């Protein structure tokens, strides 16, 4: 785990005191809402439907037990006993009082956490692979690079007022578990064949992806940037954007629009030009900085142990098959704690559950937890020999749903139940669909099926990238839902296509059932829903839906 | 009727204009009529409410007030997916009123 250095801690502490003063001035009436709003947003404090909402950054989704306990305690002390894990690996509290906000930030700062740059047109939390440092298939741990980017992008004066918010993801495996190509910048750490016959590690850059009203998959603009030029190249990408990005029209202000309008080649040409210029200016942090960061992410002291589990308990065996991921050490796995109980609210966890997960992390996973963009929690390093004990505790706490990557493991944004921008509710759909598919026993037959639900076109619920996506729209004041099929945010990335006219709430749940029936009827061999859709196309689904 | 709503500055709670003050209960809302904008400006300036706005609503036969848009009905009650956290945690039908 990365530890703050003095500079980090001083910056965060100073921000807390600065915000305390700003909030006090607002409460005393010395600041108007217009003056205060940008200040509170800089500290992750939004005003939502029922109260203020605070978004806490969890850099690249990694946290330790102490931090998770602090998050749980804040939920109990200042909120209504729970928090919501988001698709960008952050946490949101829904019921915050302005009077308490500075105290919460102070509590966060004590455990090296904050809410800085979780809002506004700046570089947001850097996201990464939730199995980083543990996965069997990664080249290196991507988090030191994510941390380097975090340091570079924190309080960067040039990038504090970008045309629009800016999101970066970093991965280091062929498998994309971070929706990397749907970010403004996606970075994949890769190995190339160096001239001397050896190999060298560097970064592949994808720029201009995103969701929202104009979803785009980021094209690759450079297949190899040497690691000691990583920050310089990222800076060049941002400089060109900062120079040309549209500030006059919020809907056209994202970098994806610039890359699209200039064309990938022209954008790349300008980036390369800027890059050449920047290389001479020495903007890259010294190599020692990366070397200083790396040990914080070194492997814990793994020990050899059992390499398989006793499968005599069928419920346990199902959970192991579904919710664990192969580790680079053969006596360990990464275990996924599902925050998707049947009929529950995707991504919500109570303070008590957070403290329990923290304790389990301490006991079974070298004190480490991860937040997944699919709104679940990972214990990255669990001994295979400890899995049964872990699962028993999770089951008892209602956290043992064996549903990772199934239709019940859907992403759902807060929607109209909490969000002031929403057109329609998302959570009730998630709840009803998981109840229905669980009751009919269809979930396991369907295998991997990624359902993603957003309550409006901002696409916080990633509906464009769902094998099945649902988007809430407002139809003359009544909630209505558009269905789309064929999206993916993994390495086989694609954008979903709308099936046709929208549905009512009941109608869209039927429609989801209908399209899964089309899949089951047409499935060949081991095909997933997405594979069948790609092979047979939209027509059979349309036919079944609209006849 | 034209109803005024906003959030409490300190707590963020959803509040409704009762003619004299701000209440958490939509049923206490009054028709601000022509004076809506004037009241909003004065109340906001006095920091008795945050980001207030005017909505359309109807007074039902039983005297209750029903905002025209679902969003304001959810604001009035609370999240439909957490009946325990709404203003009417004991009323199982409260959610039906929203929809
Ligand atoms: C309730 C408070 C929230 C508000 C007000 C909000 C607002 C927005 C807005 C305005 C956008 C569109 C930005 C743009 O296109 O430039 C957006 C996009 C997004 N939000 Fe949220 N959001 C909220 C909650 C969440 C949550 C809970 C999640 C995770 C579950 C999330 C994840 C995202 C993601 C992944 C995007 C897509 C980014 C892209 O366009 O590439 N947001 N949000
Ligand atoms: S997609 Fe829309 S409704 Fe859902 S959280 Fe984002 S802004 Fe709110």
């Amino acid at each position: 785990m990365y530890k703050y250095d003095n500079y980090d801690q001083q910056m965060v502490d100073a921000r807390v005191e600065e915000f305390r003063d700003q909030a006090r001035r607002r409460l005393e009436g010395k600041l108007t809402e217009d003056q205060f709003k940008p200040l509170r947003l800089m500290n992750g404090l939004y005003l939502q439907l029922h109260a203020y909402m605070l978004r806490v950054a969890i850099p690249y989704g990694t946290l330790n037990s102490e931090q998770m306990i602090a998050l749980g305690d804040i939920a109990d002390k200042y909120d209504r006993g729970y928090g919501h894990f988001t698709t960008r690996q952050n946490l949101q509290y829904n019921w915050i009082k302005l009077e308490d906000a500075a105290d919460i930030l102070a509590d966060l700062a004590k455990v090296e956490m904050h809410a800085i740059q979780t809002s506004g047109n700046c570089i947001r939390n850097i996201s990464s692979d939730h199995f980083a440092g543990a996965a069997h298939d990664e080249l290196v741990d991507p988090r030191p690079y994510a941390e380097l980017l975090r340091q570079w992008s924190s309080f960067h004066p040039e990038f504090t007022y970008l045309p629009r918010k800016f999101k970066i993801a970093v991965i280091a495996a062929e498998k994309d578990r971070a929706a990397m190509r749907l970010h403004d910048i996606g970075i994949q750490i890769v190995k190339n064949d160096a001239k001397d016959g050896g190999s060298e590690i560097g970064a592949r850059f994808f720029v201009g992806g995103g969701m929202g009203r104009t979803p785009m998959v980021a094209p690759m603009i450079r297949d190899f940037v040497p690691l000691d030029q990583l920050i310089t190249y990222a800076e060049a990408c941002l400089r060109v954007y900062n120079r040309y990005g549209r500030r006059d029209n919020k809907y056209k202000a994202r970098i994806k629009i610039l890359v699209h309008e200039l064309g990938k080649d022209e954008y790349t040409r300008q980036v390369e030009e800027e890059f050449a210029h920047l290389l001479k200016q020495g903007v890259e942090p010294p190599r020692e900085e990366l070397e200083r960061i790396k040990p914080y992410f070194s492997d814990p002291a793994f020990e050899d142990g059992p390499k398989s589990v006793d499968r005599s308990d069928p419920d346990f065996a199902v959970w192991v098959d579904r919710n664990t991921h192969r580790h680079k050490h053969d006596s360990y796995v990464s275990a996924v704690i599902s925050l998707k109980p049947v009929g529950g609210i995707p991504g919500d966890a109570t303070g008590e559950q957070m403290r329990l997960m923290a304790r389990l992390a301490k006991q079974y996973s070298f004190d480490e937890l991860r937040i997944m963009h699919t709104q679940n929690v990972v214990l990255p390093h669990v001994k295979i020999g400890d899995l049964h004990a872990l699962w028993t505790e999770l089951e008892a706490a209602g956290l043992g749903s064996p549903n990772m990557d199934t239709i019940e493991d859907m992403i759902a944004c807060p929607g109209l139940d909490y969000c002031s921008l929403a057109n329609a509710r998302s959570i009730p759909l998630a709840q009803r669909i998981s109840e229905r598919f669980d009751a009919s026993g269809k979930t396991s037959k369907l295998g991997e099926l990624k359902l993603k639900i957003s309550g409006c076109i901002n696409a916080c619920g990633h509906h464009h990238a769902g094998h099945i996506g649902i988007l809430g729209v407002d139809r003359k004041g009544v909630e209505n839902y558009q269905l789309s099929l064929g999206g993916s945010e993994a390495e086989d990335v694609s954008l979903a296509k709308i099936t046709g006219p929208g549905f009512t709430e009941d109608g869209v749940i039927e429609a989801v059932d209908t399209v899964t029936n089309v899949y089951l009827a047409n499935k060949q061999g081991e095909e997933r829903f997405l594979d069948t859709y790609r092979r047979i196309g939209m027509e059979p689904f349309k036919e079944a839906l609209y006849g | 009727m034209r109803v005024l709503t906003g959030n409490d500055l300190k707590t963020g709670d959803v509040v409704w204009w009762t003619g004299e003050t701000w209440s958490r209960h939509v049923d206490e809302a009054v028709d601000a009529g022509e004076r809506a904008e004037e009241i909003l400006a004065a109340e906001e300036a006095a920091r008795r409410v945050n980001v207030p706005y005017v909505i359309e609503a109807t007074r039902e036969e039983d005297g209750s007030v029903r905002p025209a848009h679902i969003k304001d009905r959810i604001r009035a009650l609370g999240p439909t997916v957490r009946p325990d956290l709404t203003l009417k945690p004991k009323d199982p039908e409260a959610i039906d009123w929203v929809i």
Side-chain angles (χ1 to χ4, degrees):
Chain A
M1 279 278 312
Y2 182 70
K3 295 285 301 165
Y4 277 7
D5 60 15
N6 277 343
Y7 172 81
D8 293 321
Q9 192 68 51
Q10 276 167 16
M11 286 304 268
V12 169
D13 290 343
R15 267 302 267 277
V16 173
E17 287 321 305
E18 187 185 41
F19 183 70
R20 190 181 293 287
D21 183 53
Q22 291 161 345
R24 184 180 49 76
R25 277 156 56 211
R26 173 65 185 129
L27 288 166
E28 287 170 356
K30 294 182 181 138
L31 292 175
T32 63
E33 182 64 11
D34 283 347
Q35 290 164 329
F36 182 60
K37 188 175 171 185
L39 304 175
R40 68 169 159 78
L41 287 178
M42 271 187 225
N43 293 285
L45 191 67
Y46 292 70
L47 186 59
Q48 284 299 317
L49 277 194
H50 311 293
Y52 293 92
M53 179 273 274
L54 182 71
R55 184 179 289 158
V56 179
I58 303 175
Y60 31 88
T62 295
L63 72 173
N64 62 24
S65 309
E66 187 191 25
Q67 292 173 321
M68 189 63 128
I69 290 170
L71 293 176
D73 289 347
I74 288 171
D76 286 342
K77 187 168 168 196
Y78 301 104
D79 201 276
R80 297 196 171 181
Y82 68 107
H84 178 77
F85 289 104
T86 78
T87 44
R88 294 213 74 256
Q89 302 176 297
N90 291 327
L91 180 78
Q92 292 186 180
Y93 294 111
N94 298 305
W95 303 92
I96 297 303
K97 296 179 171 40
L98 178 55
E99 317 171 277
D100 293 335
D103 290 339
I104 301 174
L105 296 179
D107 284 4
L108 287 170
K110 283 186 205 136
V111 292
E112 304 189 353
M113 296 186 94
H114 60 73
I116 297 162
Q117 291 185 205
T118 61
S119 173
N121 296 334
C122 54
I123 302 178
R124 302 288 189 88
N125 189 26
I126 313 283
S127 58
S128 188
D129 186 339
H130 41 253
F131 295 136
H136 67 98
D137 60 347
E138 79 183 5
L139 186 60
V140 290
D141 188 338
R143 291 172 304 162
Y145 308 99
E147 173 56 26
L148 199 64
L149 285 155
R150 184 192 73 79
Q151 294 186 8
W152 159 73
S153 61
S154 296
F155 306 111
H156 194 305
E158 199 179 325
F159 306 137
T160 306
Y161 297 99
L162 290 165
R164 202 72 178 84
K165 61 178 168 179
F166 204 90
K167 301 181 180 180
I168 302 179
V170 189
I171 66 171
E174 281 304 317
K175 269 207 165 299
D176 182 359
R177 291 176 283 257
M180 182 268 288
R181 291 187 65 190
L182 295 164
H183 280 73
D184 296 291
I185 295 183
I187 296 174
Q188 183 185 5
I189 307 294
V190 292
K191 197 187 264 185
N192 81 348
D193 301 325
K195 291 179 203 84
D196 59 10
S199 63
E200 196 189 353
I201 291 187
R204 191 175 276 170
F205 270 71
F206 299 85
V207 180
M211 303 208 217
R213 74 181 55 223
T214 323
M216 299 218 184
V217 173
M220 184 171 75
I221 67 158
R222 180 65 116 85
D223 65 357
F224 195 85
V225 177
L227 280 186
D228 55 4
Q229 298 172 354
L230 177 78
I231 298 296
T232 311
Y233 202 80
E235 183 141 343
C237 293
L238 268 132
R239 279 227 171 152
V240 174
Y241 166 55
N242 210 9
R243 195 179 304 148
Y244 296 105
R246 300 258 312 246
R247 286 168 200 268
D248 60 327
N249 181 339
K250 158 175 161 174
Y251 299 120
K252 295 194 168 177
R254 298 288 297 258
I255 192 172
K256 61 190 174 188
I257 305 294
L258 178 72
V259 174
H260 184 73
E261 288 185 354
L262 278 181
K264 177 194 117 178
D265 293 342
E266 175 57 18
Y267 172 75
T268 309
R269 191 193 62 74
Q270 296 196 20
V271 169
E272 292 292 336
E273 199 175 278
E274 184 64 36
F275 179 55
H277 168 72
L278 283 175
L279 276 178
K280 291 185 221 125
Q281 304 206 333
V283 297
E284 193 71 28
R287 184 72 192 213
E288 300 84 75
E289 184 52 24
L290 183 62
E291 297 311 322
R292 185 187 74 83
I293 293 170
K294 273 186 179 164
Y296 290 114
F297 298 95
S298 54
D299 283 348
F302 296 128
E303 295 166 6
D304 284 333
K307 305 199 187 325
S308 61
V309 294
D310 173 358
R311 300 177 62 90
S312 53
D313 180 340
D315 289 342
F316 171 58
V318 170
W319 180 81
V320 171
D321 292 344
R322 265 280 152 222
N323 283 38
T324 62
H325 188 261
R326 202 173 131 203
H327 199 278
K328 61 186 179 189
H329 190 295
D330 61 3
S331 303
Y332 287 78
V333 290
S334 300
V336 173
I337 304 177
S338 169
L339 297 182
K340 318 284 172 71
V342 174
I345 299 178
D348 275 12
T350 64
E352 205 176 324
Q353 287 174 329
M354 290 184 223
R355 284 186 294 270
L356 172 71
M357 293 188 280
R359 180 174 65 72
L360 294 174
K362 204 162 190 110
Q363 197 169 342
Y364 297 117
S365 183
F366 298 96
D367 204 27
E368 237 190 273
L369 304 109
R370 308 288 175 74
I371 308 306
M372 299 172 79
H373 83 268
T374 50
Q375 305 176 284
N376 295 313
V377 175
V378 177
L379 301 185
H381 316 293
V382 181
K383 267 190 191 152
I384 292 176
D386 286 339
L387 272 177
H388 193 270
L390 169 66
W391 171 76
T392 308
E393 292 211 49
L394 290 173
E395 269 288 283
L399 292 170
S401 302
N403 56 14
M404 180 180 152
D405 288 342
T406 67
I407 191 164
E408 290 176 33
D409 184 23
M410 70 278 279
I411 291 178
C413 80
L416 195 50
D417 279 301
Y418 293 99
C419 176
S420 54
L421 302 169
N423 288 321
R425 291 169 304 151
S426 331
I427 299 168
L429 290 186
Q431 294 176 308
R432 290 181 58 188
I433 291 171
S434 78
E435 280 165 355
R436 177 173 178 146
F437 280 76
D438 181 70
S440 70
K442 215 164 149 188
T443 302
S444 56
K445 270 187 240 152
L446 294 169
E448 181 186 310
L449 205 176
K450 298 189 182 177
L451 172 66
K452 302 184 197 283
I453 311 172
S454 306
C456 83
I457 195 68
N458 287 323
C460 303
H462 290 190
H463 65 278
H464 299 298
H467 297 182
I468 302 179
I470 298 178
L471 164 65
V473 294
D474 180 341
R475 220 167 130 198
K476 302 195 184 108
V478 180
E479 295 166 298
N480 196 264
Y481 298 93
Q482 269 177 8
L483 188 70
S484 52
L485 303 176
S488 169
E489 59 193 2
E491 57 289 352
D492 59 354
V493 62
S494 60
L495 299 172
K497 289 201 171 63
I498 296 173
T499 55
F503 301 91
T504 60
E505 180 179 335
D506 290 341
V508 79
I509 291 168
E510 279 308 319
V512 169
D513 200 42
T514 303
V515 296
T516 60
N517 289 338
V518 174
Y519 157 62
L520 290 175
N522 287 277
K523 169 182 179 179
Q524 287 180 357
E526 293 298 298
E527 273 181 352
R528 303 168 300 163
F529 177 92
L530 182 65
D531 304 322
T532 303
Y533 168 84
R534 285 178 175 168
R535 179 173 53 77
I536 68 178
M538 180 64 100
E539 273 318 305
F541 293 94
K542 266 194 163 160
E543 181 62 31
L545 287 169
Y546 305 103
Chain B
M1 61 197 274
R2 298 182 82 211
V3 165
L4 310 185
T5 182
N7 293 76
D8 184 87
L9 174 61
K10 277 190 213 155
T11 62
D13 287 343
V14 174
V15 289
W16 310 88
W17 175 244
T18 68
E20 283 163 26
T21 181
W22 295 87
S23 161
R24 295 205 57 199
H25 302 282
V26 70
D27 292 342
E28 294 174 11
V30 294
D31 187 356
E34 303 279 283
R35 291 191 50 225
E37 283 72 18
E38 179 194 332
I39 299 168
L40 287 187
E43 289 296 307
E44 187 169 24
R47 279 175 293 127
R48 283 187 289 259
V49 67
N50 200 10
V51 282
Y53 58 99
V54 192
I55 62 156
E56 273 306 317
T58 46
R59 189 173 296 283
E60 308 282 281
E61 277 166 22
D62 62 0
S64 66
V65 175
R66 183 178 172 82
H69 199 277
I70 181 171
K71 179 194 273 182
D72 294 303
R73 295 197 293 277
I74 291 180
R75 290 178 67 247
L77 182 71
T80 66
V81 292
R82 286 296 301 263
D84 57 320
L85 300 182
T86 64
L87 286 186
K88 297 180 178 170
K90 302 223 157 56
D91 176 1
E93 276 157 33
I95 305 296
D96 300 340
W97 173 82
V98 167
I99 308 153

